[in-house]
Each structure stands twice: as structure tokens, then as C-alpha cells.
Amino acid sequence: MQEHQIIIAKRFCGPPQSGNGGYVAGLLAKAIARPCQVTLHAPPPLDTPLRLLPVAEGLQLLDGDLLLATAKDYQLQMAAPQPPALASALSAERRYEGFQDHGLPNCFVCGPLRKASDGLRIFAGPLDAGADQVAAVWQPDATLDDGTGMVASEFVWAALDCPGFFAVKQASGTALLGRFAARLLEPVAIGESMIVSAWALGHDGRKHQAGTALYRQDGTPVALAEATWISLNKA
């Protein structure tokens, strides 16, 4: 692999001026083309030519000489919990706290101000009152097609991102994605209704661990992820 440029289009924002962390991680994973963990070092700017640079330990994303993210070989080892039923996931969506208060309402993945066929509109709410497991339903649209009728891998990574934040938000408060790893088990078809669920794995000071899974309606897991969220609040 040789160094080449990529541009993160403004459609794929998390914060207004930078890329959604899960989407960016998915781009690096697609480029490195092997199981990896992505560490985010600085916000990747939008509509800007960025450098993808292969290095001995993996892959780097740079803005000029500024290191934005790194991808290193990593084998995700985790088991998905029992998936929620479709009806439970739909009910959880109604409790999505982002409908009342959202710090990034235009986020590509979870922003409630994004329209269908523009954002993913994954609104993961608690399965039960006070629960640290959240769920939602996601139906990927044709704009996410990889050219074969399946969802491009970077969008699956993106779908696994934000639900993890809402699983740890009660403990973390405002937080940024620090590290992210995903394992894609089966392709996801455009138009297929998927169940997304995320749960807290643990908390250590300002670091908060979350797991996320994507399931078919029959309970088959098709993708798994683990994330480290870094709280902006004091421990």
C-alpha cells in the first residue's frame, strides 16, 4: 500500500467541523484491510485532503504533518449479549435522550436533525429505565451501498459508534471517542432492518468502555465493536 489522499465529506460529520469517529475509523480499517484498532488523536477536518500513510505498525491519518488517527493490528475478542427483540428496540428508541438534549444534533450517525437518506438516524435509547444497555433499529438506505447491494464497511463501523456513547453517558458525561475496534461478521444488505444494541463494559476514571453489536431480526450478530470513550469532565 502506498500513501494516498482521502477527503472526509461534510455529510459525515460528528462535531460540526470534523468527521464522525466511527466513520473515520471505518475508513482506516477499510484501507488497512485487516483486523485493527483505531486510535483517534485529533479531530479530522472535513472537505480537506488528508494523508493515509502506511507505517511499520499499521496506518496513519494525517493533516499535513498533524497526526489525526492511527490503525494497528488488533483482534477483537468479545461475545455479544442476547440481542433485544425488535419490539424492545423500537420501544427503546422512544426513550432516546438525544431527542430532548443533544450536544451534536447534526451528527451523521445519531443526530436527530439529520433527514432520512442523509444521516443514519440511529437513536439508541435505554432498554429499561436507568439501564446501561441501549438499543435502536437501523435500516440502511441506498446512499450507503458499496456497489453490490450491501452496506459499505465504513458505514457499519459508523453505526457501531454512537450507541456506545449513550450506553456510558450516564457515567461519562460529555465524552470523545478515543479508541475503536470492530469485527464485521456478515455483510449487511441495503434496506434490511437491523437491531443495534450497546452496553457499558466498565469505567476507570475518565475512561469508559462500551461494547456494541449489530444483529439481524432473528438474533444473528453481524458486527461487534468495542470503544473507549474519554470523558471531558474531571474523574
Side-chain angles (χ1 to χ4, degrees):
M1 177 182 174
Q2 296 181 333
E3 177 178 345
H4 63 282
Q5 286 190 341
I6 64 168
I7 294 177
I8 301 169
K10 63 182 180 180
R11 178 190 176 194
F12 307 123
C13 69
Q17 304 301 323
S18 60
N20 168 266
Y23 173 77
V24 172
L27 290 178
L28 269 69
K30 190 173 192 174
I32 200 171
R34 58 183 187 266
C36 67
Q37 181 184 67
V38 176
T39 300
L40 301 171
H41 302 283
L46 303 171
D47 291 337
T48 302
L50 305 175
R51 301 167 58 204
L52 270 178
L53 177 67
V55 293
E57 63 272 22
L59 186 66
Q60 294 181 342
L61 179 67
L62 302 106
D63 181 9
D65 293 326
L66 175 65
L67 181 62
L68 303 174
T70 56
K72 297 182 179 181
D73 291 349
Y74 183 79
Q75 292 287 343
L76 176 59
Q77 302 291 335
M78 70 180 302
Q82 187 70 20
L86 178 65
S88 297
L90 288 169
S91 178
E93 282 187 356
R94 295 196 290 270
R95 294 186 286 273
Y96 177 57
E97 64 178 86
F99 290 143
Q100 285 72 46
D101 181 23
H102 199 301
L104 301 172
N106 284 295
C107 173
F108 171 63
V109 176
C110 65
L113 296 185
R114 300 296 288 263
K115 304 300 183 184
S117 299
D118 179 39
L120 301 190
R121 294 178 56 83
I122 297 176
F123 304 137
L127 283 169
D128 298 294
D132 59 2
Q133 183 175 0
V134 298
V137 176
W138 175 45
Q139 188 174 48
D141 65 74
T143 67
L144 311 178
D145 197 324
D146 68 356
T148 70
M150 298 296 170
V151 178
S153 60
E154 60 268 32
F155 299 123
V156 179
W157 278 67
L160 293 164
D161 172 14
C162 297
F165 168 67
F166 287 98
V168 300
K169 184 177 183 293
Q170 188 173 357
S172 72
T174 303
L176 297 175
L177 183 63
R179 285 183 174 170
F180 198 49
R183 180 156 54 99
L184 309 189
L185 306 173
E186 297 182 7
V188 177
I190 296 297
E192 183 177 7
S193 292
M194 310 298 296
I195 297 169
V196 188
S197 186
W199 58 97
L201 292 171
H203 309 279
D204 181 11
R206 294 177 57 230
K207 295 182 179 181
H208 307 272
Q209 312 292 330
T212 312
L214 186 63
Y215 306 90
R216 294 203 158 88
Q217 291 187 43
D218 65 2
T220 301
V222 300
L224 301 168
E226 65 177 11
T228 299
W229 292 88
I230 309 298
S231 176
L232 299 183
N233 304 321
K234 293 183 179 179

